[in-house]
Amino acid sequence: MKVLAALAFLGGCLAQYTPHTLPNRTSIVHLFEWRWTDIAAECERYLAPNGYGAVQISPPNEHIVLQNPWRPWWQRYQPISYKLCSRSGNEEEFRDMVTRCNNVGVRIYADVVINHMCGASGGSGTHSSCGSHFDAGAEDFPAVPYTSWDFNNGKCNSPSGNIENYNDINQVRNCRLVSLLDLALGKDYVRGKIAEYLNHLVDLGVAGFRVDAAKHMWPCDMAVIFSQLKDLDTRWFSRGSRPFIYQEVIDQGGEPISSSQYFGLGRVTEFKYSAKLGTVVRRWNGEKMAYLRNWGEGWAFMPSDLALVFVDNHDNQRGHGAGGASVLTFWDSRLYKMAAAFMLAHPYGLTRVMSSFRWDRHFVNGKDVNDWMGPPSNDDGSTKKVSLNPDTTCGNGWVCEHRWHQIRNMVIFRNVVNGEPLANWWDNGSNQIAFGRGTRGFIAINNDDWNMNVTLQTGLPAGMYCDVISGQKEGDHCTGLRVSVTADGQALFHINNTADDPTLAIHLDTKL
Ligand code: AAO
């Protein structure tokens, strides 16, 4: 009891829920596997001008380099040291990226892998992204340095040393996650090394951390590490700002470890959101869009101000982690854009937009056997540059969902309606829904198999508005559909069920 009270107190003092984005910049984009030089350019040429708040980057530290399979994306979740050279670039490029992004008001959150080092069968040698020597079998990582004393060897109670049973809290936190060598976060020395790594990133100007595999670490150990973090760099952040923290905890119910055990330390990923939204938009299991009326806490999600939400993430878009087949991805682009528009219009949670690369999906018995494939790369294994097409989409195998105009414009919608409550909900009892955000924005979605034709109260001031899904406002004219709002706030919404994107969205900044 005393321990819990002390923890709650400690957590309360250190808790970091503020994303440190500029005012009315509401969304994060995960530029999965992007190179630092591409991210720096993207902050300047695209993210800042289009109102993105922050970027989640891939793990910046030294990682194993694998041959079999060949350079999988997941090698970056197998640390070798905390040196900043990775498949995305070196420390100089990292520093340049953080500086340039901060200078245009876009924050960088680093994905930090602190629960473990590489897999037990990682071998020994210098097959690592900075060339540091290591010996996985001997648990020796001289570039940190860690030795076998720094791993949870005596504490794991499973026969294999791996996590075998998610109903056993001790296994989940003291044994190896898919054979990854489990660091002893109970040791001051290990905590100190991790804090040193995170503080190095703070010194370079990052605004926060996505904490990988938080479920597999004891919250009390994490609390001690976070208590050792420096305040953010005053070149860009106000004095006393604490690093923003969001923790990857997969809690879909049914396990003894719950998201709420981590609320004291920062925000937490809400995985129910991704799985459920996919189920509803796909209309599986008898779900209907109309049921989204009480979306959020009403669906037993965590409190909104603690939640980090997403349609898909880098794991569940390829069958890793949790979420299952319902999860929507860029491969189902029409439904994906609908789900993203709903997420970005709805007030629940802090939103993260996924930005992916394409890979050769190949299903055998329902499983994608190419789920390991890494980012677009050259023959020497280096990651390909994100090239740009004349129409502003990306080339070289990069999907760039965050540049799809329907998604980008909804990120702007969310910025315009920021802080406004959900208002004027309407549904047809089936799959046609509409709602507003205060008196600043309104969205209507038709996911039924018949047309939608209905006059609705939008809450918006009278005028002609430009739909940001079929087009957008450019200067004084509209490249898409127009919606006319009458003096009493009503407007006719006609949405063909066969439209490319059966969604209409308008907000104050699209008034013509
Ligand atoms: C690779 C190889 C392994 C090899 C290992 C070491 O694939 O075969 O043993 O190297 O050599 C990523 C990849 C892994 C990869 C790893 C290291 O996804 O395939 O392993 O890099 O290179 C759990 C964790 C969660 C984790 C997720 C993938 O709790 O933290 O697995 N995500 C993060 C990262 C991820 C990364 C790591 C962690 C490791 O985002 O990219 O792995 O740094 C249940 C549990 C979940 C558990 C899942 C998956 O989920 O609740 O906690 O996630 O199982 O095992 C329903 C339930 C849901 C359940 C789900 C699946 O949906 O509601 O709770 O079913 O059973």
Side-chain angles (χ1 to χ4, degrees), residues 74 78 178 210 212 215-216 248 252 255 314-315 320:
W74 43 252
Q78 301 198 29
V178 293
R210 177 239 184 219
D212 182 70
K215 180 193 259 185
H216 305 280
E248 188 227 10
Q252 310 215 90
E255 287 178 22
H314 72 279
D315 284 327
H320 286 236

Side-chain angles (χ1 to χ4, degrees), residues 149-455:
W149 294 102
D150 300 317
F151 293 84
N152 274 332
N153 292 315
K155 283 191 172 173
C156 170
N157 59 355
S158 81
S160 64
N162 296 329
I163 299 166
E164 295 172 7
N165 177 7
Y166 273 89
N167 285 312
D168 181 339
I169 299 181
N170 283 294
Q171 275 193 26
V172 176
R173 292 185 174 145
N174 292 338
C175 297
R176 295 172 178 175
L177 166 62
V178 293
S179 98
L180 299 160
L181 300 175
D182 202 51
L183 284 166
L185 265 60
K187 283 188 65 178
D188 284 342
Y189 174 77
V190 175
R191 293 167 173 174
K193 281 291 159 192
I194 293 171
E196 198 178 285
Y197 166 44
L198 303 190
N199 279 330
H200 184 198
L201 297 173
V202 169
D203 285 340
L204 292 168
V206 307
F209 304 107
R210 177 239 184 219
V211 182
D212 182 70
K215 180 193 259 185
H216 305 280
M217 298 184 273
W218 296 93
C220 46
D221 291 338
M222 292 168 65
V224 176
I225 294 170
F226 298 156
S227 74
Q228 294 173 20
L229 296 184
K230 297 181 177 178
D231 291 344
L232 296 183
D233 193 321
T234 52
R235 277 179 291 173
W236 297 293
F237 305 95
S238 51
R239 196 164 294 285
S241 299
R242 300 295 294 154
F244 174 47
I245 284 168
Y246 56 107
Q247 306 159 90
E248 188 227 10
V249 180
I250 298 178
D251 173 5
Q252 310 215 90
E255 287 178 22
I257 298 180
S258 66
S259 298
S260 59
Q261 293 162 14
Y262 294 84
F263 290 168
L265 298 170
R267 286 198 184 236
V268 183
T269 50
E270 180 50 279
F271 273 81
K272 291 176 193 143
Y273 191 107
S274 170
K276 292 285 183 195
L277 187 56
T279 310
V280 175
V281 172
R282 290 183 190 275
R283 307 187 309 190
W284 285 1
N285 304 347
E287 294 286 4
K288 295 176 177 167
M289 298 288 279
Y291 299 160
L292 296 172
R293 175 183 282 268
N294 65 340
W295 185 246
E297 289 93 341
W299 280 59
F301 298 169
M302 66 183 75
S304 175
D305 54 0
L306 290 168
L308 189 289
V309 301
F310 43 91
V311 178
D312 61 332
N313 81 344
H314 72 279
D315 284 327
N316 68 17
Q317 68 170 200
R318 46 176 51 71
H320 286 236
S326 75
V327 171
L328 285 164
T329 70
F330 68 88
W331 297 106
D332 303 289
S333 63
R334 187 170 184 268
L335 293 182
Y336 188 72
K337 286 179 279 181
M338 190 188 292
F342 175 81
M343 173 182 83
L344 291 164
H346 194 280
Y348 182 86
L350 175 60
T351 46
R352 180 178 64 196
V353 171
M354 181 68 204
S355 190
S356 317
F357 56 79
R358 237 171 244 102
W359 71 98
D360 299 329
R361 267 203 318 181
H362 182 57
F363 288 98
V364 176
N365 298 327
K367 189 195 179 303
D368 176 10
V369 294
N370 285 341
D371 64 341
W372 57 270
M373 285 189 165
S377 49
N378 303 302
D379 291 343
D380 65 357
S382 59
T383 301
K384 278 191 184 165
K385 174 188 167 68
V386 177
S387 61
L388 297 177
N389 302 322
D391 66 357
T392 78
T393 59
C394 299
N396 268 350
W398 299 96
V399 183
C400 292
E401 296 93 313
H402 70 286
R403 280 176 169 252
W404 294 3
H405 80 264
Q406 299 89 340
I407 292 179
R408 175 205 56 216
N409 286 348
M410 286 308 296
V411 166
I412 296 170
F413 177 110
R414 189 175 193 79
N415 293 344
V416 172
V417 304
N418 188 25
E420 299 287 323
L422 192 139
N424 296 307
W425 177 275
W426 172 88
D427 65 69
N428 68 344
S430 182
N431 291 294
Q432 300 179 355
I433 62 166
F435 60 95
R437 294 289 302 279
T439 56
R440 299 184 64 83
F442 196 80
I443 184 169
I445 304 177
N446 178 11
N447 195 21
D448 267 326
D449 298 330
W450 58 88
N451 292 344
M452 171 171 171
N453 214 349
V454 60
T455 298

